[in-house]
Amino acid sequence: MRSRPTAILDVDLDALAANYALLVRIAAPANVAGVVKADAYGLGAAQVARRLAWEGCGSFFVANAAEGVALRPHVPEATIYSLGGLPPGASADCVNHDLVPVLNSVEDVRSWLAEAPGRPAAIQLDTGMTRAGLDAGDLDRLAVEGVPLERLSLVLVLTHFACADEPAHPLNARQVEVFDRLRRRLPAAATSIANSAGTLLGPGYRGDLVRTGIALYGGRPAAAGPNPMREVVRLRARVLQLRDVDDDVTVGYGATHRVRAPARIAIVGAGYADGYPRSLGGRGHASVAGRHVPVIGRVSMDVVTLDVTSVPRDELRVGDWVSLLGGGVPIDALAEAAGTIAYELLTRIGPRVERRYAGAVDGAAFPRTSTD
Ligand SMILES: *Cc1c(COP(=O)(O)O)cnc(C)c1O
């Protein structure tokens, strides 16, 4: 018999579809692209992109050409943009797998014109993030060096916000101003400005295509306030052992936590190797049989320890599941307790954790009934 998994990441594709539909309503008339870099933030790029394509999503963004090559067979009709520019070898991948590279530098523009003349490309403008993209000085250089921009088949001009999750931050409006000024120096093309948080800033902040990642996956798009997105992800782990504490003891490495008897503790089967942050030792909470219980002691590589004294004995047995993330443990609150953000929590869920999908991946795999 195959041994049972001790940790599972449940991905609710119907909730993903609902989040996509909400973003489509908010962003209209702009279109909504799915950002599926880093294996769709750890959820599984193939399943996520196929479901989004089935829901009508026609554009996807990946981090680099290798991710685009892997994604292509799953969404044969879609436009796939590769955010990472053109490091050596990327041009050939983009040409051979019909990816649209996002050109991030003068060198990228030159390479694409030389290696793939006439093929569609996107350009990223750096308007205040100071990361990837061309700034005013780079556009000057292109002009001085006589790079024939008119030969570029430019399909999208984009920029990226630095502070979109803080709606009142003055940099947001300034970046849009700079973007409008710089893009006039390029051939006319559709525009893309906003990530998830930017999409909620208002119509002036979106352009023609918004690039949504974290909101699709259920993270709160803004730094504060209620989360309008549906929960998509749940990390659950099995109770491996229950212990009754009859005398005061310390728990785990470093003996950092003292348990006062009488108490009951549960050892559950996910640890920092599975992406449950070590920083949650003594700070995290899990949901056990509908109750909020604390993580005690240090998080180990393979297990965490919970104080389940508050859970009635007959409601928790060895082999039962508890929720470590989602399922009563909101992702943004957990990220804050861990001193990080939802993006990092999701992308660090380890390969040992089995992914399980609820809801159809797409029409081909699971025919829908007319009542869907
Ligand atoms: C990751 C990324 C996004 C998606 O951001 P979210 O905040 O997850 O919506 C959009 N644009 C670029 C350039 C990115 O790198």
Side-chain angles (χ1 to χ4, degrees):
M1 199 175 86
R2 230 178 103 226
S3 65
R4 304 185 307 173
T6 64
I8 288 177
L9 188 74
D10 295 300
V11 179
D12 182 345
L13 294 173
D14 291 333
L16 171 82
N19 287 342
Y20 174 71
L22 176 60
L23 291 166
V24 165
R25 282 202 298 282
I26 292 172
N31 287 313
V32 177
V35 179
V36 295
K37 61 194 181 188
D39 204 23
Y41 295 25
L43 278 62
Q47 290 83 354
V48 163
R50 279 170 60 182
R51 178 59 187 261
L52 290 176
W54 176 245
E55 298 295 327
C57 182
S59 304
F60 296 93
F61 285 82
V62 293
N64 54 44
E67 289 186 352
V69 170
L71 182 64
R72 174 48 80 202
H74 300 289
V75 285
E77 309 288 324
T79 304
I80 301 177
Y81 297 95
S82 171
L83 288 163
L86 293 178
S91 289
D93 280 342
C94 289
V95 170
N96 294 334
H97 299 270
D98 192 20
L99 314 175
V100 180
V102 174
L103 309 178
N104 287 321
S105 66
V106 172
E107 291 67 33
D108 282 354
V109 175
R110 284 185 172 290
S111 308
W112 194 246
L113 281 169
E115 291 163 31
R119 311 238 355 176
I123 285 186
Q124 177 158 214
L125 294 170
D126 176 22
T127 59
M129 179 79 173
T130 318
R131 197 173 65 173
L134 288 83
D135 60 14
D138 294 320
L139 296 182
D140 293 344
R141 237 182 93 199
L142 287 171
V144 168
E145 295 175 16
V147 175
L149 283 179
E150 67 286 355
R151 287 204 210 132
L152 210 56
S153 170
L154 193 63
V155 293
L156 192 71
V157 183
L158 58 130
T159 194
H160 194 47
F161 284 122
C163 306
D165 62 342
E166 297 172 57
H169 201 291
L171 192 53
N172 295 323
R174 209 177 324 134
Q175 284 192 259
V176 174
E177 275 167 42
V178 174
F179 180 70
D180 281 332
R181 188 153 18 93
L182 295 184
R183 77 183 170 87
R184 290 207 190 87
R185 300 174 60 184
L186 297 170
T191 57
S192 175
I193 307 176
N195 59 350
S196 296
T199 301
L200 302 190
L201 288 177
Y205 294 84
R206 295 184 192 127
D208 301 312
L209 179 69
V210 299
R211 307 182 305 272
T212 58
I214 197 71
L216 286 173
Y217 310 132
R220 186 178 58 197
N227 184 356
M229 311 316 298
R230 261 178 67 180
E231 186 171 287
V232 174
V233 168
R234 174 184 174 214
L235 174 65
R236 56 184 158 121
R238 239 190 250 284
V239 175
L240 304 178
Q241 241 190 88
L242 286 162
R243 301 176 74 109
D244 288 305
V245 175
D246 301 320
D247 295 301
D248 293 5
V249 288
T250 61
V251 170
Y253 288 119
T256 53
H257 183 84
R258 176 163 287 277
V259 179
R260 301 240 167 269
R264 197 163 186 238
I265 62 179
I267 320 297
V268 307
Y272 62 76
D274 302 295
Y276 192 82
R278 195 167 171 276
S279 57
L280 285 173
R283 313 186 65 129
H285 283 82
S287 181
V288 177
R291 285 179 181 73
H292 220 51
V293 308
V295 172
I296 55 173
R298 295 214 175 127
V299 172
S300 304
M301 187 182 292
D302 311 314
V303 296
V304 299
T305 306
L306 306 173
D307 184 333
V308 294
T309 312
S310 67
V311 180
R313 302 187 74 85
D314 57 341
E315 289 183 27
L316 188 65
R317 301 213 152 77
V318 168
D320 286 354
W321 294 104
V322 308
S323 294
L324 294 178
L325 185 172
V329 184
I331 185 168
D332 292 291
L334 191 73
E336 201 178 321
T340 183
I341 52 178
Y343 303 72
E344 191 182 16
L345 279 188
L346 289 180
T347 54
R348 290 209 168 187
I349 306 282
R352 194 164 67 176
V353 177
E354 184 177 322
R355 271 68 172 167
R356 283 215 190 144
Y357 297 91
V361 172
D362 62 25
F366 301 88
R368 296 180 143 202
T369 65
S370 55
T371 53
D372 273 349

